[in-house]
Amino acid sequence: MDEDSEFALESRLTNHGCYLREVAVDDDGYHLTYQSAAADANGEIPHQQVGDVVNDFRKLFDRRDWPVRSVEATVTDLDDDPLGSWRAEEAWFVALADGDLTEVEFSRRLIDSLETVDR
């Protein structure tokens, strides 16, 4: 990922209290690790924040012509201790854009993908 793209993502995430630690892109998707201030305070990954991050990717797909790919995220607290992970499949983004998947169904799949780390 080039510096401009990484900055665009990092800027959006920061607006939601997410601090990008690393990001990589390959043919399969975007792989990121971010710290979550809200997760740190609550000890769990906030569903709303996951939705905010996914919506940031949707905007980057639409407005910045990023290729639509799957998104896989690892979420840590502010000490970089893993809290869990989530994913959004490329096929879900495509089906949502084509009207073959509702926002509610997309959100359900996203929340179902959450995996938490036992602490």
Side-chain angles (χ1 to χ4, degrees):
M1 176 175 282
D2 65 44
E3 287 182 23
D4 288 342
S5 296
E6 188 171 331
F7 180 76
L9 176 61
E10 186 172 21
S11 297
R12 285 169 171 76
L13 295 180
T14 301
N15 288 333
H16 307 298
C18 301
Y19 307 104
L20 188 64
R21 302 298 288 161
E22 58 185 89
V23 61
V25 181
D26 59 27
D27 290 340
D28 293 329
Y30 302 93
H31 310 275
L32 64 145
T33 299
Y34 65 89
Q35 294 176 320
S36 169
D40 192 55
N42 298 323
E44 62 183 32
I45 302 169
H47 295 182
Q48 178 63 43
Q49 191 176 64
V50 172
D52 291 339
V53 172
V54 168
N55 283 334
D56 286 339
F57 272 94
R58 290 174 63 193
K59 289 173 189 168
L60 291 166
F61 297 156
D62 290 341
R63 297 183 191 158
R64 300 208 83 194
D65 295 326
W66 283 26
V68 176
R69 294 185 173 115
S70 296
V71 177
E72 295 180 3
T74 299
V75 184
T76 71
D77 63 17
L78 297 178
D79 293 323
D80 285 326
D81 293 324
L83 295 171
S85 62
W86 56 264
R87 73 180 194 296
E89 301 289 336
E90 178 181 352
W92 305 351
F93 289 115
V94 171
L96 183 61
D98 290 346
D100 296 329
L101 190 66
T102 67
E103 293 279 348
V104 171
E105 182 62 19
F106 182 93
S107 295
R108 186 192 61 75
R109 290 180 184 188
L110 184 60
I111 297 306
D112 287 348
S113 79
L114 277 169
E115 294 183 17
T116 57
V117 173
D118 291 330
R119 299 180 100 187

